[in-house]
């Protein structure tokens, strides 16, 4: 097997693991180091396999789980945020609001999205992922323009 094939297989296995262990507080650097590759190589291979950046995928998995817990349990929102891997409650609220266009409490009160079907909620989530990527690109471009000369 070539180095590329070995690296792709490591990332593929990690992606499956991530789907089950998204709540863990690993950084992308830690994951890349564990898989014995550079951050840049890991990021490129991850995007190639999933079509998403690592961070976008991580938030998507966490927020889907949070939405499900809000719909199916009576656990406090703070506990759900923590269980899904968010240490900062305000960060969780901002991400949830950006993805589902409502607060976690309103989501729960509406029975997990109110009148939205599962397909509509998934479209909202996908649209938000695209928005997150766009925002990240805009932020990185604006930072590049502000750099001192």
């Amino acid at each position: 097997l070539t180095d590329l094939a070995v690296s792709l297989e490591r990332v593929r296995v990690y992606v499956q693991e991530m789907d089950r262990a998204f709540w863990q507080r690993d950084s992308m650097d830690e994951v890349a180091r564990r898989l014995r590759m550079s951050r840049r190589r890991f990021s490129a291979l991850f995007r190639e396999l999933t079509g998403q950046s690592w961070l976008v995928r991580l938030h998507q998995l966490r927020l889907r789980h949070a939405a499900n817990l809000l719909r199916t349990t009576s656990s406090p929102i703070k506990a759900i945020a923590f269980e899904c891997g968010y240490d900062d409650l305000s960060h969780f609220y901002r991400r949830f609001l950006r993805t589902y266009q409502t607060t976690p409490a309103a989501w729960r009160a509406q029975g997990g999205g109110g009148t939205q079907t599962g397909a509509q909620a998934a479209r909202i989530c996908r649209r938000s992922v695209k928005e997150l990527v766009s925002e990240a690109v805009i932020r990185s471009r604006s930072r590049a323009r502000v750099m001192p000369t």
Side-chain angles (χ1 to χ4, degrees):
L1 290 173
T2 66
D3 281 346
L4 178 60
V6 170
S7 295
L8 272 170
E9 180 60 17
R10 283 186 199 144
V11 175
R12 188 191 64 73
V13 169
Y14 170 74
V15 168
Q16 291 175 338
E17 173 189 317
M18 182 184 198
D19 289 346
R20 293 183 304 274
F22 53 83
W23 49 268
Q24 293 179 344
R25 285 155 181 80
D26 292 336
S27 70
M28 186 164 53
D29 289 329
E30 292 167 336
V31 173
R33 197 171 18 262
R34 190 172 12 148
L35 298 180
R36 297 186 309 269
M37 63 184 72
S38 71
R39 175 189 172 109
R40 179 179 227 160
R41 182 173 178 103
F42 170 73
S43 180
L45 294 175
F46 187 93
R47 187 179 295 273
E48 184 178 322
L49 287 172
T50 65
Q52 299 175 303
S53 74
W54 178 81
L55 190 58
V56 167
R57 173 87 170 187
L58 179 66
H59 285 298
Q60 182 182 45
L61 292 170
R62 287 177 173 182
L63 290 171
R64 277 188 197 158
H65 186 62
N68 184 52
L69 290 174
L70 288 164
R71 192 179 84 256
T72 60
T73 72
S74 60
S75 297
I77 292 171
K78 186 174 184 176
I80 289 172
F82 184 75
E83 181 178 331
C84 293
Y86 290 97
D87 291 330
D88 181 354
L89 192 58
S90 64
H91 186 173
F92 169 70
Y93 268 87
R94 281 191 308 272
R95 288 281 180 186
F96 196 94
L97 182 61
R98 190 178 297 155
T99 300
Y100 293 102
Q101 284 80 47
T102 189
T103 65
W107 175 268
R108 173 177 273 164
Q110 296 167 355
T115 59
Q116 294 173 342
T117 65
Q120 287 169 326
R123 273 195 302 278
I124 289 170
C125 189
R126 278 194 301 276
R127 185 177 70 232
S128 296
V129 166
K130 290 176 185 173
E131 289 169 0
L132 289 173
V133 170
S134 296
E135 289 171 13
V137 168
I138 291 167
R139 278 194 305 271
S140 68
R141 287 179 183 161
S142 64
R143 271 189 242 131
R145 279 182 261 164
V146 176
M147 295 288 286
T149 55

